[in-house]
Amino acid sequence: MTNQPRHSPDASHAGHSGGPLRHAAIVHHDRGEVEAVQDALEAAMATCGYSKASLFAVRLSFQEGIANAFNHGHRNLPPNTPAKVEFAVTPAEVLIAIEDQGPGFKPDAVADCTLDENLEVPRGRGVMLIRAYMHEVRYNDKGNRVEMIFRAKPTP
Amino acid sequence: MPSESRLRIRKQDSVVQIEFIDRNILDEGNIQMISEEISRLIDAEASPKLLISFANVDHLSSAALGALITINNKIRQKNGQLRLASIDPQIYEVFVITRLNKLFQIHESVDDAIKSFG
């Protein structure tokens, strides 16, 4: 991918020196529940000294992962079906895992939305934005769990 | 149930100028409401000229991009024109990554965008 986002450096001091700040939650397709996890994630990142640009990247990826879980993973499941969300934040990296209860999907089968013929298609950009903004993205074999890692950019 | 508008709208000359009230355009419910409201504005114009300013926006999601594409398609069906303006550099990067900067006419300022309408 040629269009990679720029990241400004993250504070190296990192006001947190203990183990990872971890959080696990069962989340329904509910704005309040999702925002509660997002707020906890961003609070943990702030504690660890991440920059505004890093927060932007992680927030976008988190939102896209959640949207994929509920809109695609749970498309044929009852609307109150919850997904599992976990994160672990250290000054070095942010790990986020989102697991839905759907049948899974094949991420490599998602059409390339940057091709000229797909530019006007309104959907299909979430997976590619996660890949663009996170440093590592992996799916389980079934395709219903995504793990994404954002690494802190050290100050020069 | 009638819902509060998520947009500030004003019409100057023949251009409908739209600003977002929300700083984050992430929530699908909000995006749906915004999309429907803009669709109604397009329906009301014979040859719509829309200018959407992102001056207040800090975050958006792929669902918001999808809504913009749908709006653009709808405007083009009516031989109208869409301009985007005042996009924060971090958000502009999302347009670049997705190559949507090639699809939309994006201007640095609202004034530049207004001048660009044919």
Side-chain angles (χ1 to χ4, degrees), chain A residues 19 36 127 138:
Chain A
V127 170
R138 51 185 183 240

Side-chain angles (χ1 to χ4, degrees), chain A residues 12-55:
Chain A
S12 57
H13 62 80
H16 174 74
S17 54
L21 298 171
R22 293 181 183 279
H23 187 87
I26 301 296
V27 176
H28 295 84
H29 198 184
D30 172 87
R31 185 179 173 183
E33 288 187 25
V34 172
E35 282 184 355
V37 178
Q38 186 180 298
D39 288 348
L41 172 61
E42 292 181 7
M45 287 182 69
T47 301
C48 289
Y50 284 87
S51 69
K52 190 168 169 261
S54 298
L55 283 164

Side-chain angles (χ1 to χ4, degrees), chain A residues 3 5-6 29 31 52-53 56 59-60 63-64 67 71 114 116 119-122 125-126 128-129 132-133, chain B residues 24 26-28 30 58-62 66 69-70 73 76 90-91 93-94 96-100 103:
Chain A
N3 297 322
R6 297 179 302 273
H29 198 184
R31 185 179 173 183
K52 190 168 169 261
F56 179 91
R59 178 184 288 190
L60 182 64
Q63 286 286 339
E64 298 298 341
N71 296 341
T114 63
D116 284 345
L119 275 187
E120 293 181 36
V121 178
R125 289 175 177 77
M128 90 75 85
L129 283 174
Y133 278 96
Chain B
N24 298 327
L26 297 165
D27 177 68
E28 294 151 50
N30 266 359
D58 291 334
H59 287 273
L60 52 68
S61 64
S62 66
I69 292 168
T70 302
N73 291 342
R76 286 197 344 201
Q90 275 188 326
I91 293 184
E93 204 162 57
V94 177
V96 173
I97 289 166
T98 53
R99 283 192 72 230
L100 289 175
L103 180 69

Side-chain angles (χ1 to χ4, degrees), chain A residues 49-110:
Chain A
Y50 284 87
S51 69
K52 190 168 169 261
S54 298
L55 283 164
F56 179 91
V58 170
R59 178 184 288 190
L60 182 64
S61 303
F62 174 77
Q63 286 286 339
E64 298 298 341
I66 290 286
N68 283 342
F70 288 117
N71 296 341
H72 299 292
H74 290 181
R75 181 185 297 154
N76 296 318
L77 297 176
N80 62 347
T81 306
K84 190 161 79 179
V85 183
E86 300 157 77
F87 68 73
V89 180
T90 70
E93 66 178 28
V94 179
L95 166 68
I96 301 169
I98 300 170
E99 184 172 328
D100 64 56
Q101 298 187 51
F105 83 118
K106 295 193 189 316
D108 294 334
V110 177

